[in-house]
Amino acid sequence: MKIYKLVSVFVILISLSLISCGQQVKESSFFANFIFDCVYNQDKQEYVADLLFDSNYLSDDFNQIEIPSNLVAGDELKIKHTGDFIVAESYPGILYLDGELISYSFVLTDIIGIHVDDSYITKDVLSAYVLNNENVILNDDGEFISLDEYQGHDIFLSVDKSKEETCPDGAWCTPQLRYIAGLYAYKPR
C-alpha cells in the first residue's frame, strides 16, 4: 500500500510538471481599421484606403487565415494562439506571432444605413456618432474622399465595437455614443 501511494504521488508530480511545461493557449482580438496614407495607386495618382488589423499588416505567420472579401472596418479577428505577438515598429506595423496559431474566427460588426432627403450627408447629420476618421470609402478598391467633399444622400456606417461599453446585467445605464470605424458611400455587405 505504501508503494502504491508513493507511485501515485510520483505520477501526479510528473503530470503537473508536464502540464506546466506546455505553452498556454491565449485568446487575442484585433479590429479591422482603415489607414489612408500608405498605399498609392499609380494609375489613379492618388492614395487609397487599406484595411488592416489594429493598423498592422499580418505577417506570413498568419498565412492560414482566410480573410473574407466582405470585411469592413470594425470587424473583429479573434485568434487562439500560443506564444506572444511582436509588432514591427513602423507605420503601418507588421504583426508577427512568436508561437503557434491554434484557431481563428471573425466577428462581423453592425452596419448602420442613413438616408437624408433634403440635403447631403454632413458632419452635422452624423453628430450623434463618434467618427474614427472623416473619410468616405467610395468603392471596394479603397478610393475615398473626405466627408466634407461627399455629396450623397445615403451613407453606411460600420460600428467600432472595440470602443463600446457594455451595460452589466441588471444595471441601469445611460445610452452610449456609437463609435464608427468606417464610412461608406455604398452598402459594404
Side-chain angles (χ1 to χ4, degrees):
M1 190 66 140
K2 202 174 201 184
I3 293 176
Y4 176 74
K5 286 183 181 180
L6 186 60
V7 170
S8 297
V9 170
F10 183 69
V11 168
I12 291 171
L13 289 174
I14 289 176
S15 298
L16 289 174
S17 68
L18 289 175
I19 290 170
S20 65
C21 291
Q23 292 265 352
Q24 179 185 6
V25 175
K26 304 173 187 175
E27 291 187 30
S28 300
S29 289
F30 300 94
F31 288 87
N33 70 300
F34 284 113
I35 60 168
F36 297 94
D37 53 1
C38 283
V39 177
Y40 192 75
N41 183 324
Q42 292 290 351
D43 295 336
K44 299 198 180 217
Q45 298 291 305
E46 64 187 10
Y47 284 96
V48 293
D50 203 9
L51 194 62
L52 305 181
F53 293 96
D54 291 343
S55 298
N56 296 300
Y57 288 104
L58 298 179
S59 71
D60 292 342
D61 301 336
F62 302 95
N63 277 347
Q64 69 192 68
I65 294 179
E66 292 182 32
I67 298 175
S69 60
N70 66 345
L71 209 63
V72 299
D75 287 344
E76 179 181 10
L77 169 60
K78 289 183 157 191
I79 297 175
K80 287 188 179 180
H81 61 93
T82 61
D84 296 310
F85 293 105
I86 300 168
V87 178
E89 291 189 25
S90 60
Y91 181 78
I94 302 172
L95 185 67
Y96 296 93
L97 177 59
D98 184 21
E100 180 184 356
L101 178 65
I102 307 295
S103 66
Y104 70 93
S105 63
F106 288 93
V107 179
L108 303 182
T109 192
D110 300 327
I111 306 289
I112 301 168
I114 296 177
H115 173 79
V116 177
D117 283 329
D118 55 348
S119 69
Y120 293 130
I121 299 291
T122 63
K123 290 179 191 175
D124 288 339
V125 171
L126 301 178
S127 64
Y129 302 96
V130 180
L131 307 178
N132 282 2
N133 64 75
E134 295 181 0
N135 293 314
V136 179
I137 306 298
L138 301 174
N139 53 40
D140 288 334
D141 294 331
E143 294 179 59
F144 66 93
I145 59 174
S146 74
L147 182 57
D148 292 334
E149 297 174 87
Y150 184 60
Q151 295 184 351
H153 298 283
D154 297 293
I155 198 162
F156 295 89
L157 316 174
S158 59
V159 176
D160 186 349
K161 292 187 176 184
S162 71
K163 295 181 180 170
E164 285 189 340
E165 295 180 20
T166 57
C167 187
D169 288 339
W172 190 73
C173 300
T174 58
Q176 300 293 317
L177 289 173
R178 299 294 309 258
Y179 290 85
I180 303 303
L183 306 171
Y184 299 84
Y186 63 101
K187 191 171 183 179
R189 68 167 164 249

